[in-house]
Amino acid sequence: MRLTVVGCSGSFAGPDSPASCYLVQAEHAGRTWNLVVDLGNGALGALQRHIDLDSIDAIVLSHLHPDHCLDLCGLFVVQKYNPARGGIPPRRIPVYGPADTAARMSRANGVTLSESQDPHGLDPEFDFRRMVSGVPFTLGPFTVRPQRVNHPVEAFGMRIEADGRVLCYTGDTDSCTALVGLLRDSDLALVDSAFQEGRDATTGIHLSGRRAAQAAVEAGGVRRLMLTHIPPWNDVSVSVAEAQGVWSGEVEVATQGTTYEL
Ligand SMILES: [Zn+2]
Ligand SMILES: [Zn+2]
């Protein structure tokens, strides 16, 4: 299994990275499968450096904040209007997300019909599927186990398993008991670290570097800890130092454009 960080800027796109987007790949049945986890602002451009957009097997949206989902509107244009298809209807891409994903993305895209006329205006292009906490689903070589986390909207972290490896992604969350089961015995834990201790006092939104490391320690068996979702206004070294105060191993930071082998 391979993880490519397409975008990792926290909360909004930064000068060096789009907002959240992670390409997860594994070989199965004679080809490479492409799972796109989150598709935040600016990510659709950078994603094309790594794969052809026609080769996306499925998309998983951790939640419906713009920095995790909004470039689905750009992909809709590719699906609907790409002249290379010669008018042939697109393959509907499965999109897993919270309740209301289809309607929310339709409104974000500016569909003008009323909801009673056209409740899911993007349905011809995308096969929207509701994600439910604790209910796993499979996509080719991947098993995805979503888990509700601690964020102001319906938000999921997820364990992604393939090739006998486990990638964990917290999505956006503050500390919560769900992180124990989510992160336990993972090969790589990609953990929200948007906040800084002493600066961001609001609870129930994001982890800090320190709380990210604490979650990994409490879970147990985390082999690689990688901080992500760090906004452009943060000094990354502060987040790393916070985590190093708790985590005895190397503290990695997600880097845009980098591929990690699990
Ligand atoms: Zn976010
Ligand atoms: Zn969020």
Side-chain angles (χ1 to χ4, degrees):
M1 180 160 50
R2 293 188 300 285
L3 163 69
T4 298
V5 177
V6 178
C8 55
S9 184
S11 301
F12 59 99
D16 301 318
S17 176
S20 297
C21 181
Y22 305 94
L23 172 63
V24 186
Q25 297 175 296
E27 308 305 314
H28 177 68
R31 69 175 179 90
T32 301
W33 288 65
N34 298 314
L35 177 64
V36 174
V37 177
D38 282 344
L39 199 52
N41 326 50
L44 193 66
L47 182 60
Q48 293 167 77
R49 295 179 197 149
H50 304 286
I51 57 168
D52 188 317
L53 296 178
D54 278 335
S55 70
I56 298 171
D57 288 291
I59 297 167
V60 183
L61 301 177
S62 65
H63 65 297
L64 298 178
H65 280 154
D67 58 315
H68 296 260
C69 70
L70 212 51
D71 268 18
L72 195 72
C73 295
L75 186 58
F76 161 78
V77 174
V78 178
Q79 283 279 87
K80 182 160 182 149
Y81 297 109
N82 185 353
R85 290 213 184 85
I88 298 169
R91 175 182 57 87
R92 295 172 78 220
I93 300 174
V95 178
Y96 292 81
D100 208 31
T101 297
R104 286 279 302 279
M105 296 315 303
S106 180
R107 287 202 296 276
N109 200 52
V111 171
T112 52
L113 294 172
S114 72
E115 289 202 8
S116 61
Q117 292 170 296
D118 187 4
H120 303 311
L122 278 57
D123 275 357
E125 288 73 31
F126 299 111
D127 177 7
F128 291 100
R129 303 175 186 186
R130 184 175 180 181
M131 203 150 54
V132 178
S133 188
V135 179
F137 52 92
T138 57
L139 301 155
F142 305 107
T143 298
V144 181
R145 302 181 188 278
Q147 188 69 48
R148 275 293 295 269
V149 289
N150 183 14
H151 202 52
V153 298
E154 183 183 7
F156 297 89
M158 61 202 76
R159 288 171 74 89
I160 302 172
E161 302 166 1
D163 300 336
R165 300 284 176 170
V166 180
L167 166 66
C168 294
Y169 170 52
T170 63
D172 286 6
T173 185
D174 198 352
S175 301
C176 57
T177 55
L179 292 178
V180 173
L182 189 71
L183 301 180
R184 178 178 291 152
D185 295 330
S186 55
D187 292 287
L188 196 158
L190 197 52
V191 185
D192 174 6
S193 305
F195 276 3
Q196 288 184 354
E197 296 293 323
R199 185 194 70 182
D200 302 302
T202 313
T203 59
I205 302 178
H206 291 294
L207 293 160
S208 61
R210 179 163 174 260
R211 299 202 291 276
Q214 283 173 334
V217 168
E218 287 169 16
V222 174
R223 284 175 275 286
R224 292 175 72 179
L225 172 64
M226 186 173 290
L227 310 185
T228 193
H229 200 283
I230 297 174
W233 56 51
N234 277 22
D235 178 346
V236 174
S237 67
V238 172
S239 307
V240 171
E242 283 187 18
Q244 283 174 330
V246 178
W247 183 252
S248 58
E250 181 186 359
V251 175
E252 299 180 66
V253 178
T255 305
Q256 196 273 334
T258 302
T259 297
Y260 304 88
E261 292 285 342
L262 270 74

